[in-house]
Amino acid sequence: MANSKRIESNSLFQLYQALHLSVELFDSGECFTIFNLNEIGFELPYTSDSYRPNFFSFLFVKNGKGRYTIDEQTFEVEPHSIYFTNPSNYRTFSWTQIDDILLITFDETFLKKYIGEDVYTDFPFLLTETVRPRVVADHFFEEVAVINVEIVNEYRKNTASKYKIIGHLLAVLLFKIREHIWVDYNPIYEGNRSSQIVISFKRILEQHYRDLSLGKADLAFRVQDYANALHLHPNYLSSVIKSKTGKNITAWIAEKTLTEAKSLLQNEDMTIKEISYRLGFSETSHFSNFFKKYEKTSPILYRKSHHS
């Protein structure tokens, strides 16, 4: 039953193994899959355990019914709909009818390897946070179905260039979907106005450094710690923060670390070694190099200057 346990999955293959579903159709050569759900052998009605993926997925529902629940939002999946999910919070899925539902999954590594490093610039909708299934017109569903057939044919081959070809076909598919569904999507706008991931990250960042200054926390968080607090994969969190704020997550953390360092250095009761440790530096020299990089002076000279 749903929510009986929580599953971390770095690939659809790992997820299906954890859910005790068939994995016969998988090609483990790359983090890409495409197949029809009617080939998996779901015993309907089916409801999954709660899981958190590290991959993107598209469902092309020609004929079938089900639902996805992400956080407290539940989305019904109906015939002739396209449903997109990305690596984010825990979710469950359930199916009551599976006749013809094509599933495509891929991870960030696959996108950047076969489409390009600027994939989020070309396809910013990959980072959208609230995604409802879209029922599309017959002509568009048929248009993408032609591309999907080509991808399936390549996926079933055993050639040296199969994933390069799939990467090009996937890019065409993503461009088509962007133009038809997300032509006006802007992640910066969403980040400034309503991005829950960005808002939550900033809130945790501020609270954590407040706790550090008050001695309620012993060590500064790393990217992994923020990802854990938000129930996200660190790579995905980093991509969201970068795309929606224009500044990567390490820069956000570095700026807060510098602000806190300057504040702690004004307190002569703490040694520089203690400050280094509290801010997450394993060696005082590492902290000194970090501080010099941004302030153009050493922690010792900064402290002397402030007190003089």
Side-chain angles (χ1 to χ4, degrees):
M1 295 298 294
N3 300 322
S4 61
K5 60 180 179 178
R6 287 191 161 190
I7 300 169
E8 298 282 345
S9 57
N10 290 321
S11 68
L12 186 69
F13 180 81
Q14 291 179 357
L15 174 63
Y16 274 34
Q17 280 187 316
L19 295 175
H20 306 293
L21 297 171
S22 172
V23 292
E24 293 180 1
L25 300 171
F26 285 82
D27 177 350
S28 59
E30 298 279 354
C31 290
F32 176 91
T33 67
I34 181 169
F35 50 79
N36 203 301
L37 293 187
N38 61 23
E39 301 173 284
I40 295 298
F42 285 99
E43 294 185 11
L44 302 178
Y46 178 88
T47 300
S48 74
D49 289 312
S50 177
Y51 70 98
R52 183 173 69 183
N54 193 24
F55 52 85
F56 301 88
S57 66
F58 278 97
L59 281 167
F60 297 88
V61 185
K62 186 174 183 180
N63 193 12
K65 290 185 179 181
R67 63 175 54 182
Y68 272 73
T69 299
I70 302 177
D71 294 333
E72 298 177 354
Q73 300 182 80
T74 297
F75 304 121
E76 299 291 335
V77 182
E78 301 289 342
H80 262 212
S81 62
I82 297 175
Y83 186 38
F84 165 69
T85 66
N86 52 26
S88 57
N89 296 344
Y90 285 97
R91 78 278 307 271
T92 61
F93 65 85
S94 60
W95 296 109
T96 56
Q97 177 187 347
I98 298 176
D99 294 323
D100 190 346
I101 303 175
L102 190 73
L103 172 66
I104 298 178
T105 71
F106 46 88
D107 67 3
E108 184 177 302
T109 300
F110 185 88
L111 287 174
K112 292 186 175 181
K113 181 177 180 180
Y114 292 107
I115 295 180
E117 288 293 325
D118 296 327
V119 65
Y120 294 125
T121 301
D122 289 331
F123 311 114
F125 68 85
L126 291 174
L127 298 175
T128 189
E129 291 176 44
T130 302
V131 188
R132 296 179 178 277
R134 305 291 185 97
V135 177
V136 298
D138 291 354
H139 70 87
F140 181 72
F141 200 93
E142 292 167 3
E143 187 176 344
V144 297
V146 171
I147 302 171
N148 288 337
V149 168
E150 291 190 54
I151 297 176
V152 169
N153 290 338
E154 290 299 327
Y155 185 70
R156 291 177 177 173
K157 293 178 182 178
N158 187 23
T159 62
S161 301
K162 65 181 281 188
Y163 286 110
K164 289 182 180 179
I165 296 171
I166 287 172
H168 286 294
L169 291 170
L170 180 60
V172 173
L173 181 64
L174 293 176
F175 275 118
K176 292 284 186 183
I177 289 172
R178 187 192 72 179
E179 292 176 0
H180 190 81
I181 299 177
W182 280 293
V183 66
D184 296 322
Y185 178 73
N186 187 330
I188 295 292
Y189 178 85
E190 185 182 60
N192 289 340
R193 297 296 180 90
S194 62
S195 169
Q196 288 304 309
I197 290 178
V198 174
I199 291 170
S200 297
F201 166 70
K202 289 180 179 178
R203 184 182 299 120
I204 294 170
L205 183 74
E206 294 292 336
Q207 182 61 54
H208 178 61
Y209 277 88
R210 192 176 302 120
D211 289 344
L212 277 174
S213 67
L214 296 174
K216 294 181 179 180
D218 295 327
L219 293 173
F221 277 178
R222 304 160 300 164
V223 174
Q224 180 69 61
D225 298 313
Y226 289 103
N228 289 344
L230 292 167
H231 305 295
L232 298 171
H233 285 275
N235 289 346
Y236 181 70
L237 174 61
S238 298
S239 296
V240 169
I241 298 300
K242 171 64 175 177
S243 295
K244 296 188 177 188
T245 70
K247 185 167 62 179
N248 64 43
I249 191 170
T250 55
W252 280 97
I253 295 172
E255 289 178 9
K256 290 301 294 182
T257 300
L258 182 64
T259 300
E260 184 61 21
K262 291 160 74 173
S263 174
L264 292 174
L265 285 168
Q266 295 174 26
N267 176 8
E268 290 192 296
D269 292 337
M270 290 188 68
T271 67
I272 291 178
K273 184 177 182 179
E274 289 172 329
I275 294 172
S276 301
Y277 176 77
R278 179 173 290 189
L279 294 179
F281 296 91
S282 58
E283 300 289 342
T284 304
S285 60
H286 296 166
F287 170 60
S288 181
N289 290 335
F290 165 83
F291 196 86
K292 285 178 182 178
K293 177 181 177 181
Y294 292 98
E295 287 298 305
K296 311 305 180 187
T297 187
S298 69
I300 294 174
L301 291 177
Y302 177 86
R303 170 172 274 178
K304 288 180 178 179
S305 173
H306 175 77
H307 287 286
S308 64

